[in-house]
Coordinates of all heavy atoms in Angstrom, one line a residue:
M45 N 13.9 6.9 -24.9 CA 12.6 6.4 -24.5 C 11.6 6.3 -25.6 O 11.5 7.3 -26.4 CB 12.0 7.3 -23.4 CG 10.6 6.8 -22.9 SD 10.0 8.0 -21.7 CE 8.4 7.3 -21.5
R46 N 11.0 5.2 -25.8 CA 10.0 5.0 -26.9 C 8.7 5.5 -26.3 O 8.2 5.2 -25.3 CB 9.9 3.6 -27.3 CG 9.0 3.4 -28.4 CD 9.4 2.1 -29.2 NE 8.5 2.0 -30.3 CZ 7.7 1.0 -30.5 NH1 7.6 0.1 -29.6 NH2 6.9 1.0 -31.5
I47 N 8.0 6.4 -27.1 CA 6.8 7.0 -26.7 C 5.6 6.2 -27.3 O 5.5 6.1 -28.5 CB 6.7 8.5 -27.1 CG1 7.9 9.3 -26.7 CG2 5.4 9.1 -26.6 CD1 8.0 9.5 -25.2
S48 N 4.7 5.7 -26.4 CA 3.6 4.9 -27.0 C 2.5 5.8 -27.3 O 2.4 7.0 -26.8 CB 3.2 3.9 -25.9 OG 2.6 4.5 -24.8
K49 N 1.5 5.3 -28.1 CA 0.4 6.1 -28.5 C -0.5 6.5 -27.3 O -0.9 7.6 -27.1 CB -0.4 5.4 -29.5 CG -1.5 6.2 -30.2 CD -2.1 5.5 -31.4 CE -3.1 6.4 -32.0 NZ -4.4 5.8 -32.3
S50 N -0.6 5.5 -26.4 CA -1.5 5.7 -25.2 C -0.8 6.8 -24.3 O -1.5 7.6 -23.7 CB -1.7 4.5 -24.4 OG -0.5 3.9 -24.0
W51 N 0.5 6.9 -24.2 CA 1.2 7.9 -23.5 C 0.9 9.3 -24.1 O 0.5 10.2 -23.3 CB 2.7 7.6 -23.5 CG 3.6 8.7 -22.9 CD1 4.2 9.7 -23.5 CD2 3.8 8.9 -21.5 NE1 4.9 10.5 -22.6 CE2 4.7 10.0 -21.4 CE3 3.4 8.2 -20.3 CZ2 5.2 10.4 -20.1 CZ3 3.9 8.6 -19.1 CH2 4.8 9.8 -19.0
E52 N 1.0 9.4 -25.4 CA 0.7 10.7 -26.0 C -0.8 11.1 -25.9 O -1.1 12.2 -25.7 CB 1.0 10.5 -27.5 CG 2.4 10.4 -27.9 CD 3.1 11.8 -28.0 OE1 2.6 12.6 -28.7 OE2 4.1 12.0 -27.3
E53 N -1.7 10.1 -25.9 CA -3.1 10.4 -25.8 C -3.5 10.9 -24.4 O -4.6 11.4 -24.2 CB -3.9 9.1 -26.2 CG -3.9 8.9 -27.7 CD -4.5 7.6 -28.1 OE1 -4.8 6.8 -27.2 OE2 -4.6 7.4 -29.3
K54 N -2.7 10.8 -23.4 CA -3.0 11.3 -22.1 C -3.1 12.9 -22.2 O -3.8 13.5 -21.4 CB -2.0 11.0 -21.1 CG -2.0 9.6 -20.5 CD -1.0 9.4 -19.4 CE -1.2 8.1 -18.7 NZ -0.7 8.1 -17.4
C55 N -2.4 13.5 -23.0 CA -2.4 14.9 -23.1 C -3.7 15.5 -23.6 O -4.3 15.0 -24.6 CB -1.3 15.4 -24.1 SG -1.1 17.2 -24.2
R56 N -4.2 16.5 -22.9 CA -5.5 17.1 -23.2 C -5.3 18.4 -24.1 O -6.2 19.1 -24.4 CB -6.2 17.6 -22.0 CG -6.8 16.5 -21.2 CD -7.7 17.0 -20.1 NE -7.1 17.9 -19.2 CZ -7.0 17.8 -17.9 NH1 -7.6 16.8 -17.3 NH2 -6.3 18.7 -17.2
R57 N -4.0 18.6 -24.5 CA -3.7 19.8 -25.4 C -4.1 21.1 -24.8 O -4.6 22.0 -25.5 CB -4.3 19.6 -26.8 CG -4.1 18.2 -27.4 CD -2.7 18.0 -27.9 NE -2.7 16.7 -28.6 CZ -2.2 15.6 -28.2 NH1 -1.8 15.5 -26.9 NH2 -2.2 14.5 -28.9
C58 N -3.9 21.3 -23.5 CA -4.3 22.6 -22.9 C -3.2 23.6 -23.1 O -3.4 24.8 -22.9 CB -4.6 22.4 -21.4 SG -3.1 22.0 -20.4
G59 N -1.9 23.2 -23.3 CA -0.8 24.1 -23.6 C -0.2 24.7 -22.3 O 0.7 25.5 -22.4
R60 N -0.7 24.4 -21.2 CA -0.3 25.0 -20.0 C 1.2 24.7 -19.6 O 1.8 25.4 -18.9 CB -1.2 24.8 -18.8 CG -2.5 25.5 -19.0 CD -3.6 25.1 -18.1 NE -3.2 25.1 -16.7 CZ -3.7 24.2 -15.8 NH1 -4.5 23.3 -16.2 NH2 -3.3 24.3 -14.6
C61 N 1.7 23.5 -20.0 CA 3.1 23.2 -19.7 C 4.0 23.9 -20.7 O 5.2 23.8 -20.5 CB 3.3 21.7 -19.8 SG 2.9 20.9 -21.4
C62 N 3.5 24.6 -21.7 CA 4.3 25.3 -22.7 C 4.6 26.7 -22.3 O 4.9 27.5 -23.2 CB 3.7 25.2 -24.1 SG 3.5 23.4 -24.6
Y63 N 4.6 27.0 -21.1 CA 5.0 28.3 -20.6 C 6.3 28.1 -19.8 O 6.5 27.1 -19.2 CB 4.0 28.9 -19.6 CG 2.8 29.5 -20.4 CD1 1.9 28.7 -21.1 CD2 2.7 30.9 -20.6 CE1 0.9 29.2 -21.8 CE2 1.7 31.4 -21.4 CZ 0.8 30.6 -22.0 OH -0.2 31.1 -22.7
E64 N 7.2 29.1 -20.0 CA 8.5 29.0 -19.4 C 8.4 28.8 -17.8 O 7.5 29.4 -17.2 CB 9.4 30.2 -19.7 CG 9.6 30.5 -21.1 CD 10.4 29.4 -21.8 OE1 11.1 28.6 -21.1 OE2 10.3 29.3 -23.0
K65 N 9.3 28.0 -17.3 CA 9.3 27.9 -15.8 C 10.7 28.2 -15.3 O 11.7 28.1 -16.1 CB 8.9 26.4 -15.5 CG 7.4 26.2 -15.7 CD 7.0 24.7 -15.6 CE 7.2 23.9 -16.9 NZ 6.6 24.4 -18.1
V66 N 10.8 28.5 -14.1 CA 12.1 28.7 -13.5 C 12.2 27.9 -12.2 O 11.2 27.6 -11.6 CB 12.4 30.2 -13.1 CG1 12.5 31.0 -14.4 CG2 11.3 30.8 -12.2
E67 N 13.4 27.4 -12.0 CA 13.6 26.6 -10.8 C 14.4 27.5 -9.8 O 15.4 28.1 -10.2 CB 14.4 25.3 -11.1 CG 14.5 24.4 -9.9 CD 14.9 23.0 -10.4 OE1 15.2 22.7 -11.5 OE2 15.0 22.1 -9.5
H68 N 13.9 27.6 -8.6 CA 14.6 28.4 -7.6 C 14.6 27.7 -6.3 O 13.5 27.4 -5.8 CB 13.9 29.8 -7.5 CG 14.5 30.7 -6.5 ND1 15.7 31.3 -6.6 CD2 14.0 31.2 -5.3 CE1 16.0 32.0 -5.6 NE2 14.9 32.0 -4.8
E69 N 15.7 27.4 -5.7 CA 15.9 26.8 -4.4 C 15.0 25.5 -4.3 O 14.3 25.3 -3.3 CB 15.5 27.8 -3.3 CG 16.5 28.9 -3.3 CD 16.3 29.9 -2.1 OE1 15.3 29.8 -1.4 OE2 17.2 30.8 -1.9
G70 N 15.0 24.7 -5.4 CA 14.4 23.4 -5.4 C 12.9 23.5 -5.7 O 12.3 22.4 -5.8
D71 N 12.3 24.7 -5.9 CA 10.9 24.8 -6.3 C 10.8 25.2 -7.8 O 11.7 26.0 -8.2 CB 10.2 25.8 -5.4 CG 10.0 25.2 -4.0 OD1 9.6 24.0 -3.9 OD2 10.1 26.0 -3.1
I72 N 9.8 24.8 -8.4 CA 9.6 25.2 -9.8 C 8.4 26.2 -9.8 O 7.4 26.0 -9.2 CB 9.3 24.0 -10.7 CG1 10.5 23.1 -10.7 CG2 9.0 24.4 -12.1 CD1 10.4 21.8 -11.4
Y73 N 8.6 27.3 -10.6 CA 7.6 28.4 -10.7 C 7.2 28.6 -12.1 O 8.1 28.5 -13.0 CB 8.2 29.7 -10.1 CG 8.6 29.7 -8.7 CD1 9.8 29.2 -8.3 CD2 7.7 30.1 -7.7 CE1 10.1 29.1 -6.9 CE2 8.0 30.0 -6.4 CZ 9.2 29.5 -6.0 OH 9.5 29.5 -4.6
Y74 N 5.9 28.9 -12.3 CA 5.5 29.3 -13.6 C 5.9 30.7 -13.9 O 6.0 31.5 -13.0 CB 3.9 29.3 -13.6 CG 3.2 28.0 -13.8 CD1 2.4 27.6 -12.8 CD2 3.4 27.3 -14.9 CE1 1.7 26.4 -12.9 CE2 2.8 26.1 -15.0 CZ 1.9 25.6 -14.0 OH 1.3 24.5 -14.2
T75 N 6.0 31.0 -15.2 CA 6.0 32.4 -15.7 C 4.9 32.6 -16.6 O 4.2 31.6 -16.9 CB 7.3 32.7 -16.4 OG1 7.3 32.0 -17.7 CG2 8.6 32.2 -15.7
D76 N 4.6 33.8 -17.1 CA 3.6 34.0 -18.0 C 4.2 34.2 -19.4 O 3.6 34.8 -20.3 CB 2.8 35.3 -17.7 CG 3.6 36.5 -17.5 OD1 4.9 36.4 -17.7 OD2 3.1 37.6 -17.2
I77 N 5.3 33.6 -19.6 CA 6.0 33.7 -20.9 C 5.8 32.4 -21.7 O 6.4 31.3 -21.3 CB 7.5 33.9 -20.7 CG1 7.8 35.2 -19.9 CG2 8.3 34.0 -22.1 CD1 9.2 35.3 -19.4
P78 N 5.0 32.4 -22.8 CA 4.8 31.2 -23.6 C 6.1 30.8 -24.4 O 6.8 31.7 -24.8 CB 3.6 31.5 -24.5 CG 3.7 33.0 -24.6 CD 4.3 33.5 -23.4
C79 N 6.2 29.6 -24.7 CA 7.2 29.1 -25.7 C 6.8 29.8 -27.0 O 5.7 29.9 -27.3 CB 7.1 27.6 -25.8 SG 8.2 27.0 -27.2
E80 N 7.9 30.2 -27.7 CA 7.6 30.9 -29.0 C 7.0 30.0 -30.0 O 6.4 30.4 -31.1 CB 8.9 31.6 -29.6 CG 9.9 30.6 -30.1 CD 10.9 30.2 -29.1 OE1 10.7 30.3 -27.9 OE2 12.0 29.7 -29.5
K81 N 7.0 28.7 -29.8 CA 6.4 27.7 -30.7 C 4.9 27.4 -30.4 O 4.3 26.6 -31.1 CB 7.2 26.4 -30.8 CG 8.7 26.6 -31.1 CD 8.9 27.2 -32.5 CE 10.4 27.2 -32.8 NZ 10.7 28.0 -34.0
L82 N 4.5 28.0 -29.3 CA 3.1 27.7 -28.9 C 2.1 28.6 -29.6 O 2.3 29.9 -29.6 CB 2.9 27.9 -27.4 CG 1.5 27.7 -26.8 CD1 1.1 26.2 -27.0 CD2 1.4 28.1 -25.4
D83 N 1.1 28.1 -30.3 CA 0.1 28.9 -30.9 C -0.9 29.2 -29.8 O -1.6 28.3 -29.3 CB -0.6 28.1 -32.0 CG -1.7 28.9 -32.7 OD1 -2.4 29.7 -32.0 OD2 -1.9 28.7 -33.9
Q84 N -1.0 30.4 -29.3 CA -1.8 30.7 -28.2 C -3.3 30.7 -28.5 O -4.1 30.6 -27.5 CB -1.4 32.1 -27.6 CG 0.0 32.0 -27.0 CD 0.4 33.3 -26.4 OE1 -0.2 33.7 -25.4 NE2 1.4 33.9 -26.9
A85 N -3.7 30.7 -29.7 CA -5.1 30.7 -30.0 C -5.6 29.2 -30.0 O -6.6 28.9 -29.4 CB -5.3 31.2 -31.4
T86 N -4.8 28.3 -30.5 CA -5.2 26.9 -30.5 C -4.7 26.1 -29.3 O -5.1 25.0 -29.0 CB -4.7 26.2 -31.8 OG1 -3.3 26.2 -31.7 CG2 -5.2 26.8 -33.0
R87 N -3.7 26.7 -28.6 CA -3.0 26.1 -27.5 C -2.2 24.9 -27.9 O -1.9 24.0 -27.1 CB -4.0 25.6 -26.4 CG -5.1 26.7 -26.0 CD -4.5 27.8 -25.3 NE -4.2 27.4 -23.9 CZ -3.6 28.3 -23.0 NH1 -3.3 29.5 -23.4 NH2 -3.3 27.9 -21.8
L88 N -1.8 24.8 -29.2 CA -1.1 23.7 -29.7 C 0.3 24.1 -30.1 O 0.6 25.3 -30.5 CB -1.8 23.1 -31.0 CG -3.1 22.5 -30.7 CD1 -3.7 22.0 -32.0 CD2 -3.0 21.3 -29.7
C89 N 1.3 23.2 -30.0 CA 2.6 23.4 -30.4 C 2.6 23.5 -32.0 O 2.1 22.6 -32.6 CB 3.5 22.3 -29.9 SG 5.2 22.4 -30.5
T90 N 3.3 24.5 -32.5 CA 3.3 24.6 -34.0 C 4.4 23.7 -34.7 O 4.5 23.6 -35.9 CB 3.6 26.1 -34.4 OG1 4.8 26.5 -33.8 CG2 2.4 26.9 -34.0
V91 N 5.2 23.1 -33.8 CA 6.3 22.3 -34.4 C 6.3 20.9 -33.7 O 7.4 20.3 -33.5 CB 7.7 22.9 -34.2 CG1 7.8 24.2 -35.1 CG2 8.0 23.3 -32.8
Y92 N 5.2 20.4 -33.2 CA 5.1 19.3 -32.3 C 5.9 18.1 -32.8 O 6.7 17.6 -32.0 CB 3.6 18.9 -32.1 CG 3.5 17.9 -31.0 CD1 3.6 18.2 -29.7 CD2 3.4 16.5 -31.3 CE1 3.6 17.3 -28.7 CE2 3.3 15.6 -30.3 CZ 3.4 16.0 -29.0 OH 3.4 15.0 -28.0
E93 N 5.8 17.7 -34.0 CA 6.5 16.4 -34.5 C 8.0 16.6 -34.4 O 8.7 15.6 -34.3 CB 6.0 16.0 -35.9 CG 4.6 15.7 -36.0 CD 4.2 14.5 -35.1 OE1 5.0 13.6 -34.9 OE2 3.1 14.5 -34.5
N94 N 8.4 17.8 -34.5 CA 9.9 18.1 -34.7 C 10.4 19.0 -33.5 O 11.4 19.7 -33.6 CB 10.1 18.8 -36.0 CG 11.5 18.9 -36.4 OD1 12.3 18.0 -36.1 ND2 11.9 19.9 -37.1
R95 N 9.6 19.0 -32.4 CA 9.8 20.0 -31.4 C 11.2 20.0 -30.7 O 11.7 21.0 -30.3 CB 8.7 19.9 -30.3 CG 8.6 18.6 -29.5 CD 7.3 18.5 -28.8 NE 7.2 17.3 -28.0 CZ 6.9 16.1 -28.5 NH1 6.8 15.9 -29.8 NH2 6.8 15.1 -27.7
H96 N 11.8 18.8 -30.6 CA 13.0 18.7 -29.8 C 14.2 19.3 -30.7 O 15.2 19.7 -30.1 CB 13.3 17.3 -29.3 CG 12.2 16.9 -28.4 ND1 12.0 17.5 -27.2 CD2 11.3 15.9 -28.5 CE1 11.0 16.9 -26.6 NE2 10.5 15.9 -27.4
K97 N 14.0 19.3 -32.0 CA 15.0 19.9 -32.9 C 14.7 21.3 -33.1 O 15.6 22.2 -33.1 CB 15.1 19.2 -34.2 CG 15.9 17.9 -34.2 CD 16.1 17.4 -35.6 CE 16.9 16.1 -35.5 NZ 16.7 15.2 -36.6
A98 N 13.5 21.6 -33.3 CA 13.1 23.0 -33.6 C 13.2 23.9 -32.4 O 13.4 25.1 -32.5 CB 11.6 23.1 -34.1
R99 N 13.1 23.4 -31.2 CA 13.2 24.2 -30.0 C 14.0 23.4 -29.0 O 13.4 22.7 -28.1 CB 11.7 24.4 -29.5 CG 11.3 25.6 -28.8 CD 12.3 26.1 -27.8 NE 11.8 27.2 -27.0 CZ 11.9 27.2 -25.7 NH1 12.5 26.2 -25.1 NH2 11.4 28.2 -25.0
P100 N 15.3 23.5 -29.1 CA 16.2 22.7 -28.2 C 15.9 22.7 -26.7 O 16.2 21.7 -26.1 CB 17.6 23.3 -28.5 CG 17.5 23.8 -29.9 CD 16.1 24.4 -30.0
G101 N 15.3 23.7 -26.2 CA 15.0 23.7 -24.8 C 13.8 22.9 -24.4 O 13.5 22.8 -23.2
C102 N 13.1 22.4 -25.4 CA 11.8 21.6 -25.1 C 12.2 20.3 -24.4 O 13.0 19.6 -24.8 CB 11.1 21.3 -26.4 SG 9.5 20.5 -26.1
V103 N 11.6 20.2 -23.2 CA 11.9 19.0 -22.4 C 11.0 17.8 -22.7 O 9.8 18.0 -22.8 CB 11.6 19.4 -20.9 CG1 11.8 18.2 -20.0 CG2 12.6 20.5 -20.5
R104 N 11.6 16.7 -22.9 CA 10.9 15.5 -23.3 C 10.2 15.0 -22.0 O 10.9 14.8 -21.0 CB 11.9 14.4 -23.8 CG 11.2 13.2 -24.4 CD 12.3 12.2 -24.9 NE 13.1 12.8 -26.0 CZ 12.8 12.9 -27.2 NH1 11.6 12.4 -27.6 NH2 13.6 13.5 -28.1
L105 N 8.9 14.8 -22.0 CA 8.2 14.3 -20.8 C 8.4 12.8 -20.6 O 7.9 12.0 -21.4 CB 6.7 14.6 -21.0 CG 6.3 16.1 -20.9 CD1 4.8 16.2 -20.9 CD2 6.8 16.7 -19.6
T106 N 9.2 12.5 -19.6 CA 9.3 11.1 -19.1 C 8.8 11.1 -17.7 O 8.7 12.1 -17.0 CB 10.8 10.8 -19.1 OG1 11.5 11.6 -18.1 CG2 11.5 11.0 -20.5
P107 N 8.5 9.9 -17.2 CA 8.0 9.8 -15.8 C 9.0 10.4 -14.8 O 8.5 11.1 -13.9 CB 7.9 8.3 -15.6 CG 7.6 7.7 -17.0 CD 8.5 8.6 -17.9
R108 N 10.3 10.4 -15.1 CA 11.2 11.0 -14.1 C 11.1 12.5 -14.1 O 11.1 13.2 -13.1 CB 12.6 10.5 -14.4 CG 13.7 10.9 -13.4 CD 15.0 10.2 -13.7 NE 15.6 10.6 -14.9 CZ 16.3 11.7 -15.1 NH1 16.6 12.5 -14.1 NH2 16.8 11.9 -16.3
I109 N 11.1 13.1 -15.3 CA 10.9 14.5 -15.5 C 9.6 15.0 -14.9 O 9.6 16.0 -14.1 CB 11.0 14.9 -17.0 CG1 12.4 14.7 -17.5 CG2 10.6 16.4 -17.2 CD1 13.5 15.5 -17.0
I110 N 8.6 14.3 -15.2 CA 7.2 14.7 -14.7 C 7.2 14.7 -13.2 O 6.6 15.6 -12.6 CB 6.2 13.7 -15.3 CG1 6.0 14.0 -16.8 CG2 4.8 13.9 -14.5 CD1 5.2 13.0 -17.5
A111 N 7.8 13.7 -12.5 CA 7.8 13.7 -11.1 C 8.6 14.8 -10.4 O 8.4 15.1 -9.3 CB 8.5 12.3 -10.6
R112 N 9.4 15.6 -11.2 CA 10.1 16.8 -10.7 C 9.1 17.9 -10.5 O 9.5 18.9 -9.8 CB 11.2 17.2 -11.6 CG 12.4 16.2 -11.6 CD 13.5 16.7 -12.4 NE 14.0 18.0 -11.9 CZ 14.5 18.9 -12.7 NH1 14.7 18.7 -14.0 NH2 14.9 20.1 -12.2
G113 N 7.9 17.9 -11.0 CA 6.9 18.9 -10.8 C 6.9 20.0 -11.8 O 6.8 21.2 -11.5
V114 N 6.9 19.6 -13.1 CA 6.9 20.5 -14.2 C 5.5 20.7 -14.8 O 5.3 21.5 -15.7 CB 7.9 20.2 -15.3 CG1 9.3 20.2 -14.7 CG2 7.6 18.8 -15.9
L115 N 4.5 19.9 -14.4 CA 3.2 20.0 -15.0 C 2.1 20.5 -14.0 O 2.3 20.2 -12.8 CB 2.8 18.6 -15.5 CG 3.7 18.0 -16.6 CD1 3.3 16.6 -16.9 CD2 3.6 18.9 -17.9
P116 N 1.0 21.1 -14.5 CA 0.0 21.5 -13.5 C -0.6 20.4 -12.8 O -0.7 19.2 -13.3 CB -1.0 22.3 -14.4 CG -0.7 21.9 -15.8 CD 0.7 21.4 -15.8
A117 N -1.2 20.6 -11.6 CA -1.7 19.6 -10.7 C -2.9 18.8 -11.4 O -3.1 17.7 -11.0 CB -2.1 20.2 -9.4
D118 N -3.6 19.4 -12.3 CA -4.7 18.7 -12.9 C -4.4 18.1 -14.3 O -5.2 17.6 -15.0 CB -5.9 19.7 -13.1 CG -5.6 20.9 -14.0 OD1 -4.4 21.1 -14.3 OD2 -6.5 21.6 -14.4
C119 N -3.1 18.0 -14.6 CA -2.7 17.4 -15.8 C -2.8 15.9 -15.7 O -2.5 15.3 -14.7 CB -1.2 17.7 -16.1 SG -0.5 16.8 -17.5
P120 N -3.4 15.2 -16.7 CA -3.5 13.7 -16.6 C -2.3 12.9 -16.4 O -2.3 11.9 -15.8 CB -4.1 13.4 -18.0 CG -4.7 14.6 -18.6 CD -3.9 15.8 -18.0
Y121 N -1.1 13.5 -16.7 CA 0.1 12.8 -16.5 C 0.5 12.7 -15.0 O 1.3 11.9 -14.6 CB 1.3 13.4 -17.2 CG 1.3 13.2 -18.7 CD1 0.8 14.2 -19.6 CD2 1.8 12.0 -19.3 CE1 0.7 14.0 -21.0 CE2 1.7 11.8 -20.7 CZ 1.2 12.8 -21.5 OH 1.2 12.6 -22.8
V122 N -0.1 13.5 -14.2 CA 0.3 13.5 -12.8 C -0.8 13.0 -11.9 O -0.6 13.0 -10.7 CB 0.8 14.9 -12.3 CG1 2.0 15.4 -13.2 CG2 -0.3 16.0 -12.3
E123 N -1.9 12.7 -12.4 CA -3.1 12.4 -11.5 C -2.8 11.2 -10.6 O -3.4 11.1 -9.6 CB -4.3 12.3 -12.4 CG -4.4 11.1 -13.3 CD -5.6 11.2 -14.3 OE1 -6.3 12.2 -14.3 OE2 -5.8 10.3 -15.0
E124 N -1.9 10.3 -11.0 CA -1.7 9.1 -10.1 C -0.4 9.3 -9.3 O 0.0 8.3 -8.6 CB -1.7 7.9 -11.0 CG -3.0 7.6 -11.5 CD -3.1 6.4 -12.5 OE1 -2.0 5.7 -12.6 OE2 -4.1 6.2 -13.2
I125 N 0.2 10.4 -9.3 CA 1.4 10.6 -8.5 C 1.1 11.1 -7.2 O 0.5 12.2 -7.0 CB 2.4 11.6 -9.2 CG1 2.8 11.1 -10.6 CG2 3.7 11.8 -8.3 CD1 3.7 12.0 -11.4
E126 N 1.4 10.3 -6.2 CA 1.1 10.7 -4.8 C 1.9 11.8 -4.3 O 3.1 11.9 -4.6 CB 1.3 9.4 -3.9 CG 0.5 9.4 -2.6 CD 0.7 8.1 -1.9 OE1 0.5 7.0 -2.6 OE2 1.0 8.1 -0.7
D127 N 1.3 12.8 -3.6 CA 2.0 14.0 -3.1 C 2.7 14.8 -4.2 O 3.8 15.3 -4.0 CB 3.0 13.6 -2.0 CG 2.3 12.9 -0.9 OD1 1.2 13.2 -0.5 OD2 3.0 11.9 -0.3
Y128 N 2.1 14.8 -5.4 CA 2.7 15.6 -6.5 C 2.8 17.0 -6.2 O 1.8 17.6 -5.7 CB 1.9 15.3 -7.8 CG 2.4 16.1 -8.9 CD1 3.6 15.8 -9.6 CD2 1.8 17.3 -9.3 CE1 4.1 16.5 -10.6 CE2 2.3 18.1 -10.4 CZ 3.5 17.7 -11.0 OH 4.0 18.4 -12.0
R129 N 3.9 17.7 -6.4 CA 4.0 19.1 -6.2 C 4.1 19.9 -7.5 O 5.1 19.8 -8.2 CB 5.3 19.4 -5.4 CG 5.2 18.9 -4.0 CD 6.5 19.2 -3.2 NE 6.6 20.7 -3.1 CZ 7.7 21.3 -2.8 NH1 8.9 20.6 -2.7 NH2 7.8 22.6 -2.7
A130 N 3.0 20.5 -7.8 CA 3.0 21.3 -9.1 C 3.7 22.6 -9.0 O 4.0 23.1 -7.9 CB 1.5 21.6 -9.4
P131 N 4.1 23.2 -10.1 CA 4.8 24.5 -10.1 C 3.8 25.5 -9.4 O 2.6 25.4 -9.5 CB 5.0 24.8 -11.6 CG 4.8 23.6 -12.3 CD 3.9 22.7 -11.5
H132 N 4.4 26.5 -8.8 CA 3.7 27.6 -8.2 C 3.8 28.9 -9.0 O 4.8 29.0 -9.7 CB 4.2 28.0 -6.8 CG 4.9 27.0 -6.1 ND1 4.3 26.1 -5.3 CD2 6.3 26.7 -6.0 CE1 5.2 25.3 -4.7 NE2 6.4 25.6 -5.2
P133 N 2.9 29.8 -8.9 CA 3.1 31.1 -9.5 C 4.3 31.8 -8.8 O 4.5 31.6 -7.6 CB 1.8 31.9 -9.3 CG 0.9 31.0 -8.5 CD 1.6 29.7 -8.2
W134 N 5.0 32.6 -9.5 CA 6.1 33.4 -8.9 C 5.5 34.4 -7.9 O 4.5 35.0 -8.2 CB 6.9 34.1 -10.0 CG 8.2 34.7 -9.5 CD1 8.3 36.0 -9.2 CD2 9.4 34.0 -9.1 NE1 9.6 36.2 -8.7 CE2 10.3 35.0 -8.7 CE3 9.8 32.7 -9.2 CZ2 11.6 34.7 -8.3 CZ3 11.1 32.4 -8.8 CH2 11.9 33.4 -8.3
P135 N 6.1 34.4 -6.7 CA 5.5 35.4 -5.7 C 5.5 36.8 -6.2 O 6.5 37.2 -6.8 CB 6.4 35.2 -4.5 CG 7.2 34.0 -4.7 CD 7.2 33.7 -6.2
E136 N 4.4 37.5 -5.9 CA 4.4 39.0 -6.3 C 5.5 39.7 -5.6 O 5.7 39.5 -4.4 CB 3.0 39.6 -5.9 CG 1.9 39.0 -6.7 CD 1.9 39.4 -8.1 OE1 2.3 40.5 -8.4 OE2 1.5 38.5 -9.0
E137 N 6.1 40.6 -6.3 CA 7.2 41.4 -5.7 C 6.5 42.5 -4.8 O 5.5 43.0 -5.2 CB 8.0 42.1 -6.7 CG 9.0 41.1 -7.4 CD 9.9 41.8 -8.3 OE1 10.3 42.9 -8.0 OE2 10.2 41.2 -9.3
E138 N 7.1 42.7 -3.6 CA 6.5 43.7 -2.8 C 7.0 45.1 -3.2 O 8.1 45.2 -3.7 CB 6.9 43.4 -1.3 CG 6.4 42.1 -0.9 CD 6.5 41.9 0.6 OE1 6.7 43.0 1.3 OE2 6.5 40.8 1.1
S139 N 6.1 46.0 -3.2 CA 6.4 47.4 -3.7 C 6.6 48.3 -2.5 O 6.3 48.0 -1.4 CB 5.4 47.9 -4.6 OG 4.1 47.8 -4.0
Ligands
SF4_180 S1 -0.3 20.4 -19.1 FE1 -0.6 18.2 -19.4 S2 -2.5 18.1 -20.6 FE2 -1.8 20.2 -20.7 S3 -0.6 20.3 -22.6 FE3 0.8 19.9 -21.0 S4 1.0 17.6 -20.9 FE4 -0.8 18.1 -22.1

């Protein structure tokens, strides 16, 4: 997929999608584990231009991937998706 400049410019660089997520029974959950390439002070990826080689698990954002619910509900990439289901926090374990 060719990435256009306008596609890239939608990102507000909040870094919230750069936390590990888990999929469980068809739902996607956030974790509080950041990607090791995320600079938590600037909220920017430290290997952005080379991220798919430097961090093989980094998912390329395409419209199909985004529609699976991997981005927060207020992310500009999902604002026009009807009935978008954002990731949820992992339920607290009962003690
Ligand atoms: S959550 Fe959306 S706006 Fe924030 S860094 Fe990820 S793609 Fe960019």
Side-chain angles (χ1 to χ4, degrees):
M45 176 182 173
R46 187 154 181 243
I47 307 293
S48 69
K49 194 170 178 227
S50 61
W51 174 262
E52 290 275 307
E53 286 173 351
K54 281 187 173 203
C55 179
R56 288 191 301 238
R57 315 283 189 261
C58 70
R60 287 166 55 213
C61 60
C62 298
Y63 282 73
E64 302 295 339
K65 289 170 272 309
V66 291
E67 189 165 1
H68 178 68
E69 296 183 351
D71 287 320
I72 297 178
Y73 295 87
Y74 280 120
T75 72
D76 57 1
I77 305 167
C79 173
E80 72 269 18
K81 305 297 186 192
L82 178 67
D83 180 328
Q84 293 184 63
T86 64
R87 315 287 287 174
L88 296 175
C89 177
T90 56
V91 292
Y92 188 77
E93 296 301 326
N94 194 32
R95 62 195 182 283
H96 300 296
K97 279 192 180 152
R99 210 321 191 133
C102 182
V103 174
R104 190 178 300 276
L105 288 184
T106 64
R108 189 171 61 86
I109 293 289
I110 289 169
R112 289 185 58 210
V114 296
L115 298 173
D118 61 348
C119 171
Y121 286 99
V122 304
E123 62 191 9
E124 292 175 12
I125 300 177
E126 207 170 308
D127 300 325
Y128 177 75
R129 292 183 63 202
H132 335 272
W134 188 257
E136 295 291 324
E137 287 186 35
E138 298 193 20
S139 52

